Amino acid sequence: MSKRISIHGQWSSRLMFILAATGAAIGLGNIWKFPYMAGENGGGAFVLVYLLCLALIGIPIMMAEVLIGRRGRQSPVNTLHSLSVEAGASGSWRLVGWAGMLAGLVILSYYSVIAGWTLAYLMRMLSGTFVRVTAEGSGSIFAQLVTDPERLLAWHTIFMVMTIKVVSRGVTNGLEKAAKILMPMLFFLVLVLVAYAARNGDFAQAFNYLFYTDFSKLTPAGVLTAMGHAFFTLSLGMGAMLVYGSYLPSGVSIAQTSILVGLLDTLVALLGGLATFSIVFANGLAAGEGPGLIFQTLPIAFGQMPGGMFFGALFFLLLVFAAWTSAIVLIEPLVAWLIENREMERIRAAIWTGMVAWLLGIVTILSFSHWSFSFHFGGVLKRHGLFDVLDIVTSSIILPLGGLCMALFAGWVMARDSVVDELGGLAGVGFKLWYFIIRFITPAAMLLIFLRAIGVL
Ligand code: TRP
């Protein structure tokens, strides 16, 4: 089979791919979601499982997804279809692509709402709302925001328009140039926060909390959550990395780039977690606060540090940016499919998709006020009704299942030769190790986690 080329264009260089993939991976998942998930699930043991999942499941699957994408050079649905036909397998593998597109839409719907909170916080930082704010003050400012659906809707709308705008410009004219400057800046700002936390927060307790493993605090559903978050944070299991791989020039090493992206993503999450919990413990706040965790804690730190208004505004600006570079990828698989199969113009495809996600976002907005209800998931009290349901169904179920299918596809369906061909840079032992992991270890580990979570094991 001769090499395919993508009709949507290609990354101009290896660095561009790394930036774009890191941009997709690092987002609200690292700074907003990881700390609150860790807090809800008791800290250390959750973090350890999360790290193990990243190493044994996440990064190997990222390689699988990227290589499938580069081999097929089309949207996930069409790539999985053509590659399975090529391998003499059932064309139904494309259903994995469908599930992924759907998951992307759902994730974007709530992602945009949270990104809207971030925008709102940027404005509040600029106006000096948080100067010398107390823990209670910060808590009530947050509560005021999330119980005001109209305000949330306005910010959600602004963020969705930003997302549609970039997606409609296409792959190579998107955000890469800005990402080149802003991603390193975000990293720097997280370091500033960590430095502040080390001096003024309860750094030792935060460290202990995140790295001291007490397995009695972790339920089987918590393990599933940790695995789901490994997928969420690396943007796996829904075809996003597959699409990014389809724009990857041949000759770039998939193994090296995936490992790099995985490590950077992990580093940002751990640093974000350390900063957050130092402030949580120093101010006597609750670790299991839920989705409001960073919005209630980080402003306290900015309110106290010299130049806090400036740093705080910059931090939330960069967080908006990190969310933006992720949000655009969440609908890229669906947009690429609409262009390929419905011959839609990119701009129309982006607007339609964005509008559906926008509408669905209203569910999340209301989950924090009028429609809120609580339920338990694996011993954790979830207080934000449908938002939590949407998150659990996508992050803990659809993304891992999608990822499992990608692993099986690369490990068992595709011809070994095609796989070797795409992973060209990974020679000898490295390849054998990865191939063994993706065929046996990853599926077995995932199966075990699923079965335990549903109580079979
Ligand atoms: N990884 C992103 C984050 O941590 C969220 C995300 C999940 C995502 N799946 C994705 C982003 C797919 C882009 C594409 O915030």
Side-chain angles (χ1 to χ4, degrees):
M1 172 97 214
S2 63
K3 295 261 188 225
R4 300 178 175 87
I5 48 171
S6 167
I7 63 166
H8 308 283
Q10 219 182 51
W11 303 115
S12 41
S13 66
R14 177 186 123 104
L15 180 65
M16 278 308 169
F17 171 73
I18 294 178
L19 278 174
T22 318
I26 298 182
L28 296 173
N30 304 64
I31 301 205
W32 159 70
K33 200 173 179 196
F34 169 70
Y36 96 74
M37 293 260 136
E40 280 184 343
N41 289 284
F46 176 88
V47 176
L48 182 69
V49 173
Y50 164 73
L51 292 175
L52 281 175
C53 286
L54 283 174
L56 289 177
I57 300 175
I59 292 179
I61 289 187
M62 180 171 332
M63 292 169 58
E65 234 188 280
V66 174
L67 85 84
I68 294 171
R70 187 161 75 180
R71 196 78 189 161
R73 295 258 186 238
Q74 302 153 69
S75 69
V77 172
N78 294 329
T79 287
L80 287 166
H81 185 72
S82 10
L83 292 186
S84 50
V85 170
E86 193 176 302
S90 151
S92 328
W93 281 97
R94 68 173 182 281
L95 292 178
V96 177
W98 275 105
M101 296 197 301
L102 214 76
L105 209 58
V106 174
I107 296 177
L108 180 61
S109 80
Y110 71 73
Y111 206 81
S112 167
V113 174
I114 313 296
W117 297 1
T118 316
L119 279 168
Y121 266 64
L122 168 60
M123 296 317 272
R124 282 168 174 64
M125 277 294 163
L126 286 173
S127 62
T129 311
F130 295 110
V131 176
R132 309 223 169 280
V133 76
T134 59
E136 299 84 66
S138 172
S140 68
I141 290 170
F142 176 75
Q144 251 171 37
L145 174 69
V146 297
T147 50
D148 186 347
E150 284 162 35
R151 200 174 284 264
L152 293 187
L153 186 64
W155 291 117
H156 166 56
T157 309
I158 292 173
F159 186 80
M160 196 59 86
V161 171
M162 287 163 56
T163 303
I164 293 173
K165 219 163 159 52
V166 175
V167 176
S168 59
R169 293 232 176 112
V171 195
T172 37
N173 302 324
L175 274 180
E176 286 121 57
K177 283 192 208 88
K180 203 163 28 179
I181 309 165
L182 292 166
M183 296 309 285
M185 262 168 77
L186 175 70
F187 190 71
F188 172 73
L189 254 256
V190 172
L191 284 181
V192 169
L193 265 179
V194 173
Y196 167 87
R199 281 192 51 186
N200 306 311
D202 198 337
F203 195 73
Q205 200 182 340
F207 194 88
N208 217 344
Y209 185 74
L210 286 176
F211 299 110
Y212 174 75
T213 47
D214 175 1
F215 275 95
S216 69
K217 291 192 182 138
L218 194 62
T219 61
V223 175
L224 181 66
T225 307
M227 174 172 78
H229 188 61
F231 281 93
F232 185 91
T233 194
L234 294 180
S235 305
L236 296 178
M238 50 150 289
M241 285 298 166
L242 193 158
V243 164
Y244 267 19
S246 77
Y247 308 147
L248 183 64
S250 18
V252 173
S253 162
I254 291 179
Q256 277 175 14
T257 45
S258 303
I259 293 172
L260 185 63
V261 172
L263 288 178
L264 287 172
D265 185 83
T266 310
L267 193 62
V268 172
L270 292 179
L271 291 174
L274 273 175
T276 306
F277 285 110
S278 302
I279 302 163
V280 166
F281 294 130
N283 292 281
L285 297 164
E289 181 54 44
L293 189 65
I294 67 154
F295 293 95
Q296 298 178 35
T297 50
L298 300 186
I300 303 175
F302 290 121
Q304 291 170 356
M305 69 172 80
M309 241 169 97
F310 171 75
F311 282 126
L314 192 60
F315 175 81
F316 282 102
L317 178 70
L318 294 171
L319 194 53
V320 167
F321 223 90
W324 201 7
T325 53
S326 299
I328 55 173
V329 200
L330 280 163
I331 45 171
E332 180 66 21
L334 184 49
V335 169
W337 181 82
L338 286 171
I339 297 171
E340 285 165 17
N341 291 43
R342 293 281 172 271
E343 276 144 39
M344 232 186 233
E345 274 174 88
R346 180 169 268 278
I347 180 157
R348 289 196 57 195
I351 292 176
W352 274 110
T353 323
M355 269 180 20
V356 175
W358 176 82
L359 211 64
L360 191 59
I362 294 172
V363 170
T364 291
I365 289 180
L366 293 172
S367 299
F368 288 85
S369 49
H370 303 296
W371 291 2
S372 73
F373 62 85
S374 341
F375 63 95
H376 281 273
F377 180 69
V380 174
L381 178 65
K382 295 282 184 183
R383 290 176 297 137
H384 306 294
L386 289 173
F387 157 71
D388 286 315
V389 173
L390 291 179
D391 178 41
I392 291 170
V393 170
T394 47
S395 313
S396 299
I397 301 173
I398 304 184
L399 298 188
L401 282 179
L404 178 61
C405 291
M406 307 270 187
L408 295 175
F409 194 81
W412 297 95
V413 176
M414 284 175 75
R416 190 173 193 266
D417 290 345
S418 326
V419 177
V420 172
D421 190 29
E422 288 304 329
L423 286 186
L426 190 65
V429 188
F431 177 79
K432 286 208 180 101
L433 181 65
W434 172 81
Y435 206 49
F436 181 74
I437 293 181
I438 204 81
R439 300 182 84 193
F440 299 102
I441 309 284
T442 307
M446 294 188 69
L447 200 66
L448 208 83
I449 295 177
F450 275 126
L451 291 179
R452 260 187 73 78
I454 56 174
V456 174
L457 275 181

